[in-house]
Amino acid sequence: MELDERKLKILQAIIRTYLETGEPVGSRTISKDTDLHLSSATIRNEMSDLEDMGYILQPHTSAGRIPSDKGYRLYVDTMLDDKTHEVENLKEELEEKADKIDVLLKQIAKFLATNTNYATMVSGPRYQSKKVKFIQLTAVDEESLLAVIVLDNNHVKNQLIPIEAPIEAERIAKINFLLNTTLNGLDVTEMNLALIGQIKSQMKEDSAVIDSVLEVIGNALTAEETPEVYTSGATNILKYPELSDKSSAAELLVAFEEKQEINNWLEIPSANTNLSEESHDIQVYIGDETQVASMKDCSMVTATYRIHEGVYGKIGIVGPKRMNYDKVVGTLQSLMTQLDDIFKDKK
């Protein structure tokens, strides 16, 4: 059975009404609130077809219907085709106290929770490929060197390296020069055996030191870091009757408090590795699509922010399935545009 234009309009009217009231929607309500000029009987027949097709549900014996996850999905996909809302002066509001990235991300979480009346979460930046920025070896004493490795995300790794015999300052300077000129700007996948062999062939006398430094660099590049997750408005979910059930609400609040499950969910998928500067990958997850057990009765809208190449994070808004998708998606789209400008200014 095909979903024609009339059925689509009736479905959209049901969803819009349910989003506003939270109550099952009947045919008489739709006949008054739409411009279809159809009788209640005709609308009832169409609603019966929509129910058979899985787009709406009848929660009990009343004549009213509510949207199913499939119905929400169609509504969201249709809505996302053309979304151009703006949030006035957002950049100025965010930049007032945003002298550091972590402060900015906290501001974003708070702004979204206040603006949407839903729960919000923002992950700290993840670095999809870390690269070597600077290497410095310094003699500590006759038995050890201090290796300082700085990555392009400004993460610093310090480690003492034991040496069998003292190394004069001139040789250390030569090692530093060679390592920096050869490895600067490379990630771990680019440090192949041929390159390592080339470095060691030029510094045969210090091959053991080179091996130790390369091990420190490898560990720094591959170390997994768990970014912070900033949340706000968790108690907003208690305002919606369908989410205020004691056990369900408790699970949601615990998820926001402990953050681990949320952190796992907000990880950047491999599909986003090559996000363009214009792409923010706004996604809507309804019910079980979130794959987070405590959020099976919720919807989540996420967007990906980009600080610069290879450095990404996610923003998520969680609410009931009857969330105001228009407002949430529009707010996120405007926010991401403003963030692009902010991050360009911070480069």
Side-chain angles (χ1 to χ4, degrees), residues 99-226:
D99 55 327
K100 295 182 180 178
I101 292 296
D102 60 336
V103 178
L104 173 63
L105 298 180
K106 289 176 185 177
Q107 287 288 101
I108 290 170
K110 184 177 179 181
F111 167 83
L112 288 175
T114 301
N115 185 265
T116 64
N117 216 24
Y118 300 128
T120 63
M121 57 195 75
V122 181
S123 73
R126 295 175 185 270
Y127 301 84
Q128 290 188 308
S129 66
K130 293 175 282 189
K131 298 182 179 182
V132 174
K133 185 175 181 180
F134 180 70
I135 303 164
Q136 179 69 49
L137 294 180
T138 306
V140 175
D141 53 39
E142 293 185 350
E143 298 179 345
S144 58
L145 298 175
L146 175 64
V148 179
I149 313 299
V150 182
L151 305 183
D152 61 344
N153 60 3
N154 290 325
H155 177 77
V156 180
K157 172 73 174 179
N158 299 317
Q159 188 166 317
L160 286 175
I161 296 176
I163 53 178
E164 295 181 354
I167 303 178
E168 61 269 21
E170 186 178 341
R171 275 171 54 201
I172 294 176
K174 188 175 180 181
I175 296 172
N176 282 330
F177 179 78
L178 178 61
L179 291 174
N180 279 290
T181 54
T182 308
L183 302 181
N184 181 267
L186 301 186
D187 63 30
V188 70
T189 63
E190 296 170 303
M191 296 181 192
N192 52 44
L193 290 175
L195 182 65
I196 294 170
Q198 176 187 332
I199 295 171
K200 293 173 71 173
S201 68
Q202 295 183 56
M203 299 296 295
K204 292 179 181 178
E205 187 178 355
D206 299 300
S207 179
V209 173
I210 298 295
D211 282 337
S212 297
V213 176
L214 290 173
E215 183 179 354
V216 175
I217 294 171
N219 290 338
L221 290 173
T222 57
E224 290 293 331
E225 299 172 21
T226 302

Side-chain angles (χ1 to χ4, degrees), residues 191-288:
M191 296 181 192
N192 52 44
L193 290 175
L195 182 65
I196 294 170
Q198 176 187 332
I199 295 171
K200 293 173 71 173
S201 68
Q202 295 183 56
M203 299 296 295
K204 292 179 181 178
E205 187 178 355
D206 299 300
S207 179
V209 173
I210 298 295
D211 282 337
S212 297
V213 176
L214 290 173
E215 183 179 354
V216 175
I217 294 171
N219 290 338
L221 290 173
T222 57
E224 290 293 331
E225 299 172 21
T226 302
E228 183 65 74
V229 175
Y230 307 98
T231 62
S232 186
T235 55
N236 282 344
I237 59 179
L238 302 179
K239 298 175 182 178
Y240 303 95
E242 60 266 50
L243 299 179
S244 61
D245 169 79
K246 199 168 186 179
S247 59
S248 299
E251 286 183 14
L252 275 168
L253 291 175
V254 167
F256 273 86
E257 180 68 26
E258 296 185 351
K259 300 182 181 180
Q260 184 56 53
E261 197 172 22
I262 290 173
N263 204 355
N264 294 339
W265 169 245
L266 290 175
E267 285 187 11
I268 304 300
S270 57
N272 291 335
T273 300
N274 296 315
L275 279 174
S276 69
E277 290 198 19
E278 295 78 22
S279 172
H280 297 119
D281 192 39
I282 292 180
Q283 301 286 337
V284 180
Y285 303 90
I286 299 166
D288 289 333

